[in-house]
Amino acid sequence: MSLYQKSFLKLLDLSEEEILHLLQLAADLKARKKAGVPHKLCEGKNVALIFEKTSTRTRCAFEVAAADLGMHSTYLDPTGSQIGKKESIADTARVLGRMYDGIEYRGFGQTIVEDLARFSGVPVWNGLTNEFHPTQVLADFLTIQEHFGALSGRKLVFLGDARYNMANSLMVGCAKMGMHFVACAPESFLPGAELVKTCQTIAAKNGGSITLSSDPATAVAGADVIYTDVWVSMGESDEAWKERIALMLPFQVNRALMEKAGPQCRFMHCLPAFHDLGTTIGRDIHTRFGIDAMEVTDEVFESPASIVFDEAENRMHTIKAVMAATLTGA
């Protein structure tokens, strides 16, 4: 099995065996880094990192991973290229494909990253689109493996706005790996019916399941992982905050909800998280709406059940695996 010269655009494109291979490679590369063993598998290669949406974890993960693998990386921020403005996606892809061995894209529609892969002639990696966030889910799965062992049979509950990239990718990944995925959200914020149907078919073949719920207390019973994300996505209007907070407060991850899941349950979040007043937005929300936290309370975020920083570190190890596998066939 080889992922050499293939793009990494969404988990729907990968088999269970390919996902497991990436996770094993990530674990091996992580062990080498911890032991101080050099692993410049991609020495002499160059990669372009396109960020139409800014990021902390994704950018740092790609840059450190590239450096560890012996590569040079070029960071292109929202003002650093003409992509989609003065130059079409197809033309940009064909230019970058002549200069770079691989391209990362973090931005908007899935069609953009798909077109980059179609026209560039080199591996393209999805660092986040509106629809999917596959590198994050690889990190999530490596983290779950480290804490629970095998992925198969584990129950993961996503609470919050389940219409976009995180819930979509977690649902796909859980279906592929034979896990039990529950999307728990207000009815109008549940995943799209077409993707749900696709994932239910995949899950049935692998011994997993896909469930939709709007009752947090019932949804989390027996969960191995409770997962949440911010309630308001990047770029949404200020007015969206008021409506969203009122709608989502019943889906906040707090101590009572974690207790309903049971002592085995771990808390995960792709970050950043609004769990306290340590951010400008957090303080503004407190002033306007009188709440100290949004999607997760500080008590849960800082608890022994929280594995969010293991998860954040694993972004780098799993991204390194993706680049090594697709650029060298590792």
Side-chain angles (χ1 to χ4, degrees):
M1 179 181 60
S2 176
L3 292 169
Y4 180 62
Q5 290 298 299
K6 294 183 180 179
S7 290
F8 183 76
L9 307 178
K10 57 186 184 297
L11 293 178
L12 281 170
D13 300 334
L14 274 66
S15 67
E16 176 187 356
E17 291 75 21
E18 288 170 329
I19 294 171
L20 286 172
H21 173 70
L22 288 172
L23 293 174
Q24 183 58 58
L25 179 58
D28 291 345
L29 293 172
K30 181 175 182 177
R32 290 196 223 179
K33 186 173 178 68
K34 296 292 185 183
V37 177
H39 43 282
K40 297 186 181 298
L41 306 180
C42 303
E43 192 163 16
K45 295 186 182 294
N46 294 278
V47 293
L49 310 178
I50 302 172
F51 279 74
E52 291 196 293
K53 288 184 179 178
T54 56
S55 168
T56 299
R57 276 150 299 282
T58 303
R59 176 181 178 178
C60 294
F62 268 101
E63 289 192 346
V64 174
D68 283 354
L69 290 169
M71 294 190 288
H72 174 76
S73 60
T74 301
Y75 174 74
L76 299 170
D77 68 16
T79 63
S81 77
Q82 300 297 341
I83 184 169
K85 297 185 284 288
K86 291 184 178 179
E87 190 166 45
S88 70
I89 304 301
D91 289 356
T92 300
R94 285 178 286 189
V95 169
L96 295 180
R98 298 291 185 99
M99 300 181 182
Y100 292 94
D101 300 287
I103 301 168
E104 179 272 348
Y105 174 81
R106 179 183 175 92
F108 299 96
Q110 181 72 14
T111 57
I112 299 174
V113 77
E114 300 275 355
D115 282 347
L116 284 170
R118 177 184 173 193
F119 290 104
S120 68
V122 299
V124 172
W125 312 297
N126 182 355
L128 174 142
T129 62
N130 294 339
E131 294 88 347
F132 296 108
H133 198 359
T135 59
Q136 177 65 54
V137 174
L138 278 187
D140 298 338
F141 283 0
L142 180 61
T143 308
I144 293 169
Q145 278 189 336
E146 290 172 344
H147 285 267
F148 290 99
L151 296 169
S152 180
R154 296 296 172 188
K155 179 179 178 180
L156 186 151
V157 180
F158 180 91
L159 285 141
D161 189 344
R163 299 171 296 171
Y164 299 117
N165 45 42
M166 272 317 308
N168 285 348
S169 291
L170 285 166
M171 181 167 62
V172 171
C174 287
K176 292 275 186 177
M177 306 313 293
M179 299 169 67
H180 302 290
F181 175 81
V182 181
C184 185
E187 287 190 11
S188 58
F189 287 78
L190 289 168
E194 184 176 348
L195 184 60
V196 169
K197 184 177 180 180
T198 297
C199 289
Q200 286 175 332
T201 300
I202 296 170
K205 294 177 181 177
N206 296 325
S209 63
I210 305 296
T211 304
L212 306 183
S213 172
S214 294
D215 181 0
T218 302
V220 302
D224 296 296
V225 174
I226 290 178
Y227 199 116
T228 192
D229 193 3
V230 294
W231 290 340
V232 182
S233 298
M234 288 182 282
E236 292 194 67
S237 67
D238 289 344
E239 190 59 31
W241 288 93
K242 181 178 180 180
E243 176 187 350
R244 197 67 53 80
I245 288 170
L247 192 63
M248 290 294 184
L249 270 177
F251 298 86
Q252 183 187 68
V253 182
N254 51 40
R255 182 174 66 176
L257 199 66
M258 292 293 293
E259 288 175 349
K260 289 182 185 298
Q264 79 291 337
C265 189
R266 296 294 178 263
F267 171 74
M268 298 181 74
H269 193 305
C270 53
L271 302 182
F274 294 116
H275 61 96
D276 59 12
L277 304 182
T279 64
T280 301
I281 293 175
R283 290 189 292 273
D284 180 56
I285 293 299
H286 174 69
T287 300
R288 292 164 62 190
F289 303 106
I291 57 174
D292 295 334
M294 284 191 280
E295 70 273 10
V296 58
T297 62
D298 195 55
E299 183 178 26
V300 170
F301 189 87
E302 297 292 355
S303 73
S306 176
I307 54 176
V308 297
F309 294 109
D310 293 346
E311 182 185 3
E313 177 191 340
N314 282 338
R315 293 297 309 284
M316 187 265 290
H317 302 299
T318 47
I319 282 170
K320 188 185 295 183
V322 169
M323 291 196 291
T326 55
L327 292 177
T328 72

